[in-house]
Amino acid sequence: AQLAKTVLSPITHVRNLLSAGAFATANGLIPGITVNPVEFSKAMRDAYRSLDVNLVGADKNREFYNKMLKLGVVNTQTQVGDMSRLLRDIKYGDELITTTGIGPFFKMLSKAKKWSQDMYTAEDDIWKMTTFALERSRLEKAFNKHGIAKDSNFTDIIGNKFKLNDDFLDERAAAIVRNNVPNYDYVSDFVKDLRRLPFGNFVSFPAEIMRTSANILDSGLKEVSEKFVRADGKVVQPLKSIGYKRLVGFGTTVAVVPYGTQEAFKAIHNVTEDEMEALKRYVPSWSKNSTLLPIKTDDGKMKYVDFSHANAYDLLIRPVNTIINASTRGMSSDARMKDEIVKGIFEATKELGEPF
């Protein structure tokens, strides 16, 4: 059932592809704002051509894909990692096959599983390879702009020596992707083993969202203050602009986009705050603290889209939404504000555990 709801579900594939794009924008790679759209399109096109998957136009640049494998950039999708280990735990239904005689059906399903699993990984890989290419490009441009040309020697502020060559740029860009984008290879064994407990099986993704979010902020702050010494002895800060873009991109992706999208839907459909509060009271329990996009039909009826369902970083803002919603409830005459806020904090703590 869980296999069918993830790698075998077409809708989940669309969600996976769209949500993976948020990892690039969270790192400050926003087409038309921080990245040239032409350069972004080329990086995406090159990444597609390098994918190791059975699609028209793909698998044309195996050398680049192997390079990405060696650098630890691709084939590290968190949900696929959890699913693979889960299926390995149960030996993919071996006992069921031998006792019920439905081996041919499972054999057919296994082929569909492999193709779908490859696609699920490819949807993640195309964004990771695009992010790698764009990070590498802006690193080289930043160093060149501050007087450190290709193959030039330079040091950091404490004297470590570097050379601006392909190896330096590749490793630096790959490290950003490995540390700032969810990566199954970086999930601890403790978290991986949590899948065997009765809390849920997809534990790696929320754990990686928390790890990479902290890393994005750390990377941005480090880049803003990082100093290098050129061969002529001048101290420069070539990465300051990249750092600011990364911090702004993270803030925009996590907070501004969900709030802005919700406000835009409210304005387009002329939905008032009272109507939004009424909507929150009637939605299912799993959507009560989500970012809801309201839609009002011609006859005045309310519908909504649960934006949180496709937002990879919803884990970070859901506790805040929970506390705000609890505070709003506390403003009514039949509830005390303090009690509702305490209840909201408790709910927010539970919300953090929901994805597990």
Side-chain angles (χ1 to χ4, degrees):
Q2 292 193 30
L3 177 68
K5 287 191 290 184
T6 51
V7 297
L8 297 182
S9 168
I11 297 301
T12 307
H13 279 273
V14 174
R15 177 193 179 197
N16 183 45
L17 181 63
L18 294 177
S19 64
F23 305 137
T25 61
N27 278 282
L29 298 169
I30 306 174
I33 299 176
T34 61
V35 179
N36 186 304
V38 176
E39 185 178 2
F40 184 90
S41 298
K42 183 181 183 304
M44 182 70 81
R45 197 162 53 246
D46 290 344
Y48 178 83
R49 293 181 65 253
S50 304
L51 288 174
D52 181 23
V53 69
N54 186 20
L55 285 173
V56 176
D59 201 18
K60 302 293 184 182
N61 192 352
R62 182 53 66 99
E63 183 181 351
F64 181 70
Y65 187 81
N66 289 338
K67 178 181 175 180
M68 294 295 96
L69 273 175
K70 189 179 294 185
L71 289 169
V73 171
V74 296
N75 203 19
T76 55
Q77 219 280 345
T78 51
Q79 290 99 323
V80 167
D82 278 334
M83 177 61 71
S84 298
R85 285 186 174 235
L86 176 64
L87 294 175
R88 201 178 308 145
D89 289 344
I90 63 170
K91 298 180 181 178
Y92 195 44
D94 281 353
E95 186 176 338
L96 184 66
I97 292 171
T98 55
T99 57
T100 62
I102 58 172
F105 170 75
F106 263 66
K107 188 174 181 181
M108 179 180 67
L109 186 62
S110 182
K111 291 180 180 178
K113 176 185 79 75
K114 185 182 184 310
W115 185 84
S116 295
Q117 191 167 294
D118 289 344
M119 286 296 298
Y120 210 81
T121 302
E123 291 150 12
D124 190 60
D125 285 350
I126 190 171
W127 281 107
K128 285 182 175 175
M129 287 190 284
T130 299
T131 300
F132 169 85
L134 295 173
E135 290 284 2
R136 190 187 187 283
S137 175
R138 71 177 179 178
L139 277 170
E140 185 173 4
K141 289 176 181 176
F143 278 107
N144 291 344
K145 183 179 178 181
H146 286 79
I148 302 177
K150 192 75 177 289
D151 295 323
S152 295
N153 295 311
F154 62 100
T155 65
D156 60 18
I157 204 68
I158 60 174
N160 294 314
K161 296 180 180 179
F162 303 100
K163 186 174 185 178
L164 191 68
N165 53 22
D166 290 335
D167 289 340
F168 173 84
L169 293 169
D170 286 347
E171 179 51 41
R172 182 107 186 187
I176 291 171
V177 178
R178 291 195 303 264
N179 291 304
N180 293 7
V181 179
N183 188 318
Y184 193 71
D185 291 343
Y186 282 68
V187 180
S188 69
D189 290 335
F190 171 76
V191 172
K192 289 176 181 177
D193 288 341
L194 286 176
R195 73 184 185 279
R196 295 175 178 172
L197 298 177
F199 303 127
N201 303 117
F202 299 102
V203 297
S204 299
F205 185 72
E208 277 298 277
I209 286 294
M210 288 186 275
R211 180 187 75 89
T212 55
S213 296
N215 285 345
I216 290 172
L217 293 172
D218 182 64
S219 297
L221 293 172
K222 182 181 177 183
E223 287 163 340
V224 167
S225 60
E226 198 167 11
K227 297 178 181 178
F228 295 97
V229 183
R230 298 188 324 203
D232 61 3
K234 184 177 180 181
V235 178
V236 293
Q237 292 180 271
L239 306 181
K240 179 180 278 191
S241 175
I242 293 176
Y244 281 129
K245 288 176 181 177
R246 198 179 306 281
L247 294 173
V248 170
F250 183 73
T252 300
T253 303
V254 173
V256 176
V257 169
Y259 176 78
T261 306
Q262 184 182 67
E263 290 301 311
F265 268 72
K266 285 166 62 177
I268 292 170
H269 295 280
N270 195 26
V271 175
T272 66
E273 280 298 326
D274 287 342
E275 288 174 319
M276 278 299 297
E277 291 307 317
L279 179 64
K280 289 175 185 177
R281 288 198 295 271
Y282 284 96
V283 296
S285 58
W286 57 83
S287 290
K288 283 191 180 298
N289 299 312
S290 296
T291 301
L292 304 179
L293 308 182
I295 300 171
K296 188 183 289 186
T297 59
D298 293 338
D299 58 1
K301 292 182 179 179
M302 292 283 288
K303 297 182 178 181
Y304 72 95
V305 174
D306 189 335
F307 183 79
S308 295
H309 189 64
N311 181 12
Y313 290 102
D314 182 66
L315 179 72
L316 303 180
I317 61 174
R318 183 171 282 265
V320 178
N321 286 340
T322 304
I323 294 172
I324 290 174
N325 290 340
S327 301
T328 304
R329 289 198 304 268
M331 291 178 184
S332 61
S333 57
D334 59 343
R336 289 183 300 172
M337 173 75 89
K338 185 186 293 186
D339 290 345
E340 288 296 329
I341 291 177
V342 171
K343 193 184 297 183
I345 293 172
F346 177 71
E347 285 181 21
T349 305
K350 284 170 52 182
E351 290 276 1
L352 279 174
E354 282 296 315
F356 288 79

